[in-house]
């Protein structure tokens, strides 16, 4: 590991270190990418903005942060030894444990020696003559490598909405994805939470018990379903360890890489009573069963979707005592599952507490942040703390905040101004030897991340073993992939809400479908086919 003295001295002397590959980001994907590239015998430097490993699980320390995937399906599958050594304590493991897990992985595979922490990458410029990237850090330090893998995460560029007066607030304010390591004492304080997405839904019921008064500013109500978390018993732990091959096989077969999979029957083919019984059964189960274990056509057919959406609305109304508050919490303007379904524990009950108030900012919009708090169209609210649970400039934001310059000095930010353009979600034409190791398939994060990382490592090995110095996607392959991605997305309801799947949560961001909505097995098969055909759709030189 390079210490800060070394970095400062490199920056001052203008010394440029050389590597075979640079990996940007050391979250779930970056950590494994480092492992795989090192296995190939490459010299690798991993650059990480944070002070530790974990990516999402390093930055998102807000109270209540945890998996919505089953823990046993989220851990890496690549090492049998690791699988046997690690005990998941909860079925939906919490952030502190997840961060510990990723640190355990870093130590077990001796990955830290190639990771440089507190190193924010600001630019990466491709030198067409040398076929190498020059990567520059905020510190001024520069390094070069033949390959760059951007393992920058899909939800890491935080979104603080451009409210007027954001900096004028005299109290404390936090974005949930930059929550301090030290405990934030909210005891007895007047606290605001802006946002009611998956993050806010996890945090609100916990902090409601601690704060003096909590005001939640909601723009869009969500279909939020019970997580039903519990501790992993010793017996279940033994079962996980004995059946990991089956668990991973199942995750490779399902639509979204989760343990759940869609019911292939059409919802409305069942008589109402039978359908309701299925809904009740799904509702009683933990995790994404109510979404990803539901009838398949709830994701494609508006009528089928509405039938289940109404069931969820009833569930919400039944839990909130004040009917006026309940009605505000009931989503009516987008289909169920068209945003990632937030999973909760006692979320709706929080609104039954005397110290919690819900403000519907569609009725009374936020006009500005003031030195004392938040001014909406009808009054000013005073706070000690404002928490921005306002999400992320998802998928593209973590890439475009780095100034990537490809062939002819083309900027990635300009190229993606009207939406993300990739081939296989993994590369972008005009940017040779650059790989995007973020999971933008509609898939359980680690399950798909492993596939992507392995594909990238295999591709780099192929390039080197065959004596090539560069690989780049053709514009034609990219055009076809973008058209295919849009076509697949348009067959589902995933693009019907105004959330991060389509860039609809960020003011001024081009609306474009950012995920690959085909089932994960089809995605894996396509990636494998491209490789088997000698990297079809790429030019190798
Ligand atoms: O972000 P979000 P998140 N004025 O974008 C509101 C993953 N995740 O951090 O819906 C007022 O979902 C915004 O309102 P609206 C998961 O994939 C996983 O909660 O855009 N409000 C919304 O209410 C998830 O999907 C877990 O109208 C504004 C909220 O802020 C993804 O991360 C846990 C606003 C943002 O919700 C993102 O979740 C947590 C504005 N200008 C997160 N701008 C797990 O369980 C935004 N909002 C693993």
């Amino acid at each position: 590991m390079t210490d800060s003295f070394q970095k400062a001295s490199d920056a001052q002397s203008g010394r440029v270190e050389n590597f075979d590959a640079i990996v940007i980001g050391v979250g779930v994907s970056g950590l494994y990418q480092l492992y795989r590239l090192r296995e190939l015998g490459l010299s690798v430097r991993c650059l990480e903005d944070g002070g530790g490993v974990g990516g999402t699980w390093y930055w998102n320390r807000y109270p209540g942060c945890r998996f919505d995937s089953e823990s046993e399906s989220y851990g890496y599958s690549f090492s049998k030894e690791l699988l046997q050594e690690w005990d998941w304590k909860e079925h939906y493991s919490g952030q502190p444990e997840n961060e510990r897990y990723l640190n355990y992985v870093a130590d077990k595979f001796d990955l830290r020696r190639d990771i440089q922490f507190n190193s924010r990458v600001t630019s990466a410029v491709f030198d067409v003559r040398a076929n190498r990237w020059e990567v520059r850090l905020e510190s001024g330090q520069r390094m070069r490598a033949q390959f760059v893998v951007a393992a920058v995460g899909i939800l890491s560029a935080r979104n603080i909405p451009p409210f007027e007066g954001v900096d004028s607030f005299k109290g404390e304010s936090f974005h949930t994805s930059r929550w301090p390591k030290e405990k934030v004492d909210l005891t007895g304080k007047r606290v605001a939470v802006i946002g009611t997405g998956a993050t806010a839904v996890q945090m609100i019921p916990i902090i409601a018990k601690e704060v003096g008064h909590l005001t939640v500013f909601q723009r869009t109500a969500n279909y939020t379903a019970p997580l039903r978390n519990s501790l992993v018993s010793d017996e279940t732990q033994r079962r996980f360890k004995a059946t990991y091959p089956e668990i991973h096989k199942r995750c490779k077969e399902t639509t979204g890489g989760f343990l759940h999979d869609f019911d292939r029957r059409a919802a409305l083919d069942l008589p109402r009573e039978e359908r309701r019984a299925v809904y009740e059964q799904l509702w009683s189960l933990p995790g994404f069963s109510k979404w990803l274990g539901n009838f398949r056509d709830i994701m494609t057919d508006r009528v089928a979707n509405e039938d289940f959406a109404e069931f969820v609305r009833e569930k919400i109304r039944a839990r909130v005592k004040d009917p006026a508050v309940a009605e505000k919490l009931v989503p009516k303007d987008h289909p169920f599952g068209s945003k990632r379904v937030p999973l909760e524990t006692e979320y709706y009950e929080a609104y039954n507490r005397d110290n919690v108030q819900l403000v519907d900012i569609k009725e009374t919009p936020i006009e500005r942040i003031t030195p004392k708090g938040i001014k909406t169209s009808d009054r000013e609210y005073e706070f000690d703390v404002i928490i921005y649970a306002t999400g992320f400039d998802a998928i593209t934001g973590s890439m475009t905040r780095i100034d990537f310059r490809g062939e002819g000095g083309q900027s990635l930010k300009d190229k993606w101004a009207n939406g993300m353009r990739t081939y296989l979600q993994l590369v972008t034409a005009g940017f040779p030897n650059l790989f995007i190791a973020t999971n933008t398939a509609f898939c359980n994060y680690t399950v798909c991340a492993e596939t992507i990382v392995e594909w990238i490592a295999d591709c780099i090995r192929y390039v080197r073993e065959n004596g090539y110095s560069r690989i780049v996607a053709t514009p034609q392959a990219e055009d076809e992939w973008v058209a295919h991605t849009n076509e697949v997305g348009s067959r589902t309801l995933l693009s019907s809400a105004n959330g991060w799947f389509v860039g609809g949560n960020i003011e001024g961001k081009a609306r474009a479908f950012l995920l690959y909505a085909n089932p994960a097995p089809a995605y894996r098969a396509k990636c494998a086919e491209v490789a088997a055909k000698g990297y079809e759709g790429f030019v190798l030189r």
Side-chain angles (χ1 to χ4, degrees), residues 62 66 155 161 196-199 202 219-220 339-340 389-391 500:
Y62 61 84
R66 60 178 63 255
L155 296 160
T196 51
T199 296
Q202 289 186 329
R219 187 165 68 176
T220 311
K339 291 180 175 184
R340 189 161 168 133
T390 42
W500 63 263

